[in-house]
């Protein structure tokens, strides 16, 4: 099917902009994504109704079946969400969630400690951002609910400790992917004396957005800083309203389930431990199997680079659910309770799955619109070399926001930034690559069509647009400080100066906003 070309047209921005603007103004995510998908399909097929219908049918079919085979990535992610929903419900019915909440109540006595637990768990779940958002959300939600922390604040803590940590960690699915891209860039420019891993590590302090997002999380945890509409959500949570009930049950929040009085902490602990260990094992195992099939020796980073994250999550989720079922058998739960746990678990994840499917569909439309190519072409502007890191940060942010994918932005913008640096100022190669990474995470954080944004709201049981709107002020404030930091880094070549300028720019904003925000007792 011949499609119209928009790689050199501003019209390529129309579908994602329509979806984003409508989502924020109407708060109806499915409608907004549907309008964006339809607008892109009509543009690509020049308004032809038959061609548009055929195109849309093909795109939705591709979500489950493409190139003559099942789309294993999408199906595994959907399967993992369903497994996780059933796991959460079964842990509730068996009394494990209740027992853990009572255990945590005796040890976690303040709101600050509950938020600290959420933030610190990232260092156990940093292997993958999807895994982190869903698993940590499952563990922490009963505790944050008990301490009247809003679901929006929990979603913020999940999202802001997922991608920012993963993008800084070499031993993660993100780190392995980025290191592979860096290796290709170094080889393409003959920089064979530099190790891709060492280059990645050298770029960590230059990823200003990720670094200061984690600083902001620490401030939010310790000082309970509530920017913008987050203050309203926190005030409502203090009154017992963890989410806006006027819009119905949010993804991940199931109806009231019967809870066994005989449940113990192990009914939650062992399934979660199994989920973590099994998922990590299967991630390494799938990568090692791929290396062996290609005749390559095993190496941890290489294995993570070649891992099948979706399949590993499915296997890890299945293992955890089997352990949860085994533990529940000793409680002799009524058959009706098993059926209710299954039903509510599946229903709880259904809203998230619908949003995710439409997000995948609009992502495919945006790729066909060649939005990324159009945005990448804007770099050919002849700006002063010192401005390039800041410009690449902004451009990568816009691209990730528009396309809903940081990984896709990495794939397009990192090689482009490498070419641009080597052609203009080789000494700025690492700052420019780091700016792309930082901008991609920033845009991904702000985008309502991003997978990670959707799954963070799902893990927290928060309404999706509530999460997008409440996270935006934090992200924008850090982005403004980051731009100033990259300007300082571009003109001076000093990473320390870039960090100092970004930090000094952020400090007065935090002090001023801290006095204006509604603070809850820690």
């Amino acid at each position: 099917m011949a499609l119209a070309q928009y790689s050199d047209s501003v019209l390529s921005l129309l579908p994602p902009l329509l979806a984003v603007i409508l989502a924020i103004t109407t708060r109806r995510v499915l409608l907004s994504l549907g309008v964006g998908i339809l607008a892109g399909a009509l543009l690509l097929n020049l308004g032809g109704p038959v061609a548009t219908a055929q195109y849309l049918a093909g795109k939705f079919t591709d979500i489950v079946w493409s190139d003559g085979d099942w789309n294993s990535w999408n199906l595994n992610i959907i399967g993992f969400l369903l497994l996780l929903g059933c796991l959460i419900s079964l842990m509730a019915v068996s009394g494990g969630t209740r027992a853990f909440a009572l255990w945590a109540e005796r040890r976690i006595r303040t709101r600050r400690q509950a938020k600290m637990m959420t933030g610190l768990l990232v260092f156990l779940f940093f292997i993958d951002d999807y895994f982190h958002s869903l698993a940590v959300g499952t563990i922490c939600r009963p505790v944050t609910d008990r301490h009247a922390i809003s679901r929006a604040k929990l979603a913020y803590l999940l999202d802001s400790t997922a991608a920012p940590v993963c993008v800084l960690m070499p031993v993660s699915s993100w780190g392995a992917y980025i290191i592979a891209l860096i290796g290709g860039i170094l080889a393409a420019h003959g920089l064979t004396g530099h190790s891709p891993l060492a280059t990645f590590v050298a770029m960590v302090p230059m990823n200003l957005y990720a670094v200061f997002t984690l600083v902001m999380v620490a401030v939010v945890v310790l000082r309970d800083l509530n920017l913008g509409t987050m203050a309203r959500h926190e005030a409502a949570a203090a009154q017992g309203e963890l989410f806006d009930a006027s819009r119905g049950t949010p993804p991940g929040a199931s109806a009231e389930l019967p809870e066994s009085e005989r449940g113990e902490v192990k009914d939650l602990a062992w399934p979660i431990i199994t989920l973590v260990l099994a998922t990590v094992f299967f991630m390494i195992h799938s990568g090692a199997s791929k290396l062996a099939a290609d005749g390559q020796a095993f190496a941890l980073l290489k294995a993570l680079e070649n891992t099948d994250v979706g399949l590993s999550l499915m296997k890890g989720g299945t293992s955890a659910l089997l352990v949860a079922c085994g533990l529940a058998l000793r409680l002799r739960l009524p058959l009706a309770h098993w059926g209710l746990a299954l039903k509510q678990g599946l229903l709880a994840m259904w809203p998230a799955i619908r949003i995710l499917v439409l997000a995948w569909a609009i992502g495919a439309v945006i790729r066909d619109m060649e939005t990324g190519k159009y945005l990448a072409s804007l770099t050919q502007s002849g700006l002063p070399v010192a401005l390039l890191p800041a410009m690449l940060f902004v451009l990568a942010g816009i691209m990730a926001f528009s396309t809903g994918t940081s990984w896709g932005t990495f794939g397009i913008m990192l090689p482009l930034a490498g070419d641009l640096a080597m052609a203009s100022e080789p000494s700025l190669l690492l700052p420019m690559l780091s700016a792309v990474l930082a901008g991609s995470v920033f845009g991904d954080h702000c985008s309502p069509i991003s997978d990670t944004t959707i799954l963070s709201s799902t893990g927290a049981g928060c309404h999706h647009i509530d999460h997008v709107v409440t996270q935006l002020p934090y992200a924008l404030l850090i982005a403004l400080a980051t731009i100033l930091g990259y300007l300082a880094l571009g003109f001076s070549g000093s990473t320390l100066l870039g960090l100092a300028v970004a930090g000094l720019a952020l400090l007065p904003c935090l002090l001023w906003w801290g006095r204006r925000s509604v603070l809850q007792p820690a």
Side-chain angles (χ1 to χ4, degrees):
M1 182 184 295
L3 300 174
Q5 299 296 308
Y6 292 96
S7 59
D8 57 352
S9 170
V10 71
L11 286 176
S12 66
L13 297 174
L14 185 60
L17 285 179
L18 264 179
V20 169
I21 292 169
L22 282 175
I24 292 174
T25 55
T26 68
R27 307 178 75 87
R28 298 175 65 182
V29 184
L30 297 177
L31 173 66
S32 305
L33 289 171
V35 169
I37 292 166
L38 182 60
L42 287 169
L43 285 169
L44 288 165
N45 293 280
L46 301 177
V50 175
T52 299
Q54 291 175 339
Y55 172 82
L56 288 173
K59 289 301 167 188
F60 280 101
T61 300
D62 286 346
I63 290 173
V64 295
W65 181 272
S66 60
D67 298 325
D69 200 359
W70 295 107
N71 190 326
S72 59
W73 170 259
N74 290 349
L75 292 174
N76 283 329
I77 293 299
I78 291 172
F80 177 68
L81 285 173
L82 294 174
L83 286 168
L84 191 66
C86 294
L87 179 65
I88 294 168
S89 293
L90 183 57
M91 289 189 302
V93 169
S94 68
T97 302
R98 175 178 171 275
F100 176 77
L102 292 173
W103 175 87
E105 185 179 15
R106 294 192 295 270
R107 291 161 177 80
I108 298 174
R109 301 179 183 277
T110 66
R111 301 178 77 250
R112 179 180 294 171
Q113 289 174 348
K115 289 181 292 183
M116 286 180 67
M117 180 185 75
T118 305
L120 292 174
L121 278 176
V122 70
F123 296 105
L124 292 178
F125 295 85
F126 64 83
I127 198 79
D128 184 72
D129 58 325
Y130 285 12
F131 183 38
H132 168 272
S133 294
L134 294 170
V136 176
T138 301
I139 295 169
C140 294
R141 196 189 311 157
V143 181
T144 55
D145 282 359
R146 186 172 290 272
H147 287 279
I149 296 169
S150 68
R151 296 287 179 83
K153 177 63 71 67
L154 176 58
Y156 164 75
L157 293 173
L158 293 176
D159 209 354
S160 296
T161 53
V165 169
C166 288
V167 81
L168 297 176
M169 289 285 187
V171 185
S172 71
S173 56
W174 285 54
Y177 173 65
I178 295 166
I179 288 168
L181 290 175
I182 290 173
I185 293 167
L186 296 178
H189 295 285
L191 302 174
T192 54
H194 299 267
S195 156
L197 175 58
T199 302
F200 177 91
V201 172
M203 289 165 56
V204 166
M206 301 180 196
N207 193 332
L208 302 183
Y209 180 82
V211 169
F212 283 101
T213 295
L214 296 177
V215 171
M216 178 68 85
V217 168
V219 172
V220 168
V221 168
L222 297 175
R223 303 294 301 167
D224 205 22
L225 181 68
N226 299 309
L227 308 185
T229 56
M230 186 68 84
R232 178 173 60 82
H233 282 269
E234 286 289 272
Q239 302 300 317
E241 300 173 20
L242 295 169
F243 53 86
D244 188 346
S246 67
R247 292 200 296 279
T249 303
S254 58
E256 285 295 320
L257 289 168
E259 294 181 326
S260 172
E261 296 287 337
R262 292 176 293 150
E264 301 175 34
V265 172
K266 68 181 180 182
D267 292 303
L268 180 139
W270 281 115
I272 294 298
I273 290 170
T274 301
L275 180 64
V276 174
L277 296 180
T279 302
V280 172
F281 169 78
F282 286 120
M283 286 178 69
I284 296 172
H285 181 266
S286 64
S289 299
K290 179 69 165 54
L291 292 176
D294 295 340
Q296 300 182 52
F298 174 80
L300 183 58
L301 284 175
K302 278 285 186 183
L304 288 172
E305 179 187 331
N306 289 276
T307 190
D308 187 334
V309 175
L311 183 60
S312 302
L313 287 171
M314 267 287 287
K315 290 181 176 180
T318 302
S319 302
L321 187 57
L322 289 174
V323 169
C325 289
L327 289 168
L329 286 174
R330 82 184 195 286
L331 302 173
R332 299 185 179 179
L333 299 174
L335 187 60
H337 288 190
W338 287 90
L340 192 58
L342 175 64
K343 176 185 175 183
Q344 292 300 332
L346 296 176
L347 288 177
M349 290 300 171
W350 177 236
I353 289 171
R354 287 186 298 171
I355 296 172
L356 201 55
V357 166
L358 289 181
W360 284 331
I362 200 171
V365 170
I366 288 167
R367 284 192 296 274
D368 288 342
M369 292 289 296
E370 298 184 300
T371 304
K373 287 186 179 179
Y374 171 73
L375 290 171
S377 69
L378 299 181
T379 58
Q380 312 302 320
S381 55
L383 286 173
V385 171
L387 298 180
L388 289 178
M391 186 198 72
L392 285 169
F393 170 78
V394 172
L395 190 58
I398 294 171
M399 185 181 295
F401 179 83
S402 302
T403 60
T405 169
S406 48
W407 281 39
T409 305
F410 295 158
I412 294 171
M413 290 296 297
L414 282 175
L416 180 67
D419 292 345
L420 199 58
M422 296 307 292
S424 56
E425 181 52 66
S427 66
L428 288 178
L429 175 63
L430 299 192
M432 288 166 69
L433 294 178
S434 301
V436 168
L437 297 180
S440 301
V441 174
F442 163 59
D444 190 74
H445 261 177
C446 298
S447 177
I449 62 174
S450 158
D451 288 5
T452 48
T453 306
I454 293 166
L455 293 179
S456 292
S457 57
T458 301
C462 171
H463 285 284
H464 181 55
I465 297 303
D466 284 346
H467 170 43
V468 173
V469 172
T470 51
Q471 180 163 258
L472 199 58
Y474 298 90
L476 290 175
L477 181 59
I478 298 164
L480 288 174
T482 297
I483 290 171
L484 294 176
Y486 280 128
L487 288 173
L489 178 52
F491 278 102
S492 69
S494 169
T495 302
L496 284 177
L497 185 61
L499 287 165
V501 167
L504 290 173
L506 195 59
L507 182 61
C509 295
L510 292 177
L511 293 174
W512 178 80
W513 216 325
R515 287 196 298 269
R516 292 174 56 89
S517 66
V518 177
L519 299 180
Q520 304 295 331

